[in-house]
Amino acid sequence: MKGRRCSRNACTRPATATLTYVYADSTAVLGPLATYAEPHCYDLCAEHAERLTAPRGWEVVRLAPDQVDTGPSSDDLEALANLVREAGRPTPAAEDSMIEVNRRGHLRVLRSVED
């Protein structure tokens, strides 16, 4: 797969940043390269992103580039595992008010005790 190129005419360098205009706020936002190419955004190479200027009266907001993505940390994975365990635990009130009517593999058909 070929990477995205700079949106500037005649520039063939790879894009490293995405420029978005917020017309309502007279603001140009320059941030890290967007995950997907958007029709109303402009991908810029490092040189064009560095030299970017906005029209008179407009503000340029430069978002800090993301740090090197190291993937999930052990804390993230542990928190996710704890959430999955917690979600899988049956709630005592729900189990007491339900009766298993049928079972097929890992699926169960439950009926309320009140029915």
Side-chain angles (χ1 to χ4, degrees):
M1 178 179 139
K2 204 173 193 182
R4 297 194 321 245
R5 298 282 176 201
C6 183
S7 298
R8 297 289 301 260
N9 288 339
C11 184
T12 59
R13 291 185 290 267
T16 61
T18 298
L19 171 65
T20 306
Y21 289 108
V22 183
Y23 293 98
D25 297 333
S26 299
T27 304
V29 180
L30 183 67
L33 187 62
T35 307
Y36 300 102
E38 296 289 336
H40 300 291
C41 296
Y42 302 92
D43 295 334
L44 300 175
C45 65
E47 182 179 336
H48 285 121
E50 183 67 31
R51 295 186 344 205
L52 175 75
T53 59
R56 184 176 293 140
W58 282 56
E59 180 182 1
V60 176
V61 175
R62 295 178 186 270
L63 302 177
D66 292 337
Q67 299 297 328
V68 176
D69 185 14
T70 59
S73 71
S74 60
D75 290 339
D76 294 336
L77 295 174
E78 185 176 352
L80 181 60
N82 289 337
L83 285 173
V84 170
R85 279 190 213 104
E86 187 65 33
R89 288 188 185 135
T91 56
E95 286 293 318
D96 294 341
S97 64
M98 305 297 269
I99 298 173
E100 185 175 324
V101 178
N102 196 357
R103 180 182 286 263
R104 183 172 289 173
H106 67 281
L107 301 175
R108 300 185 306 164
V109 177
L110 301 175
R111 186 180 75 205
S112 175
V113 173
E114 299 157 356
D115 289 343

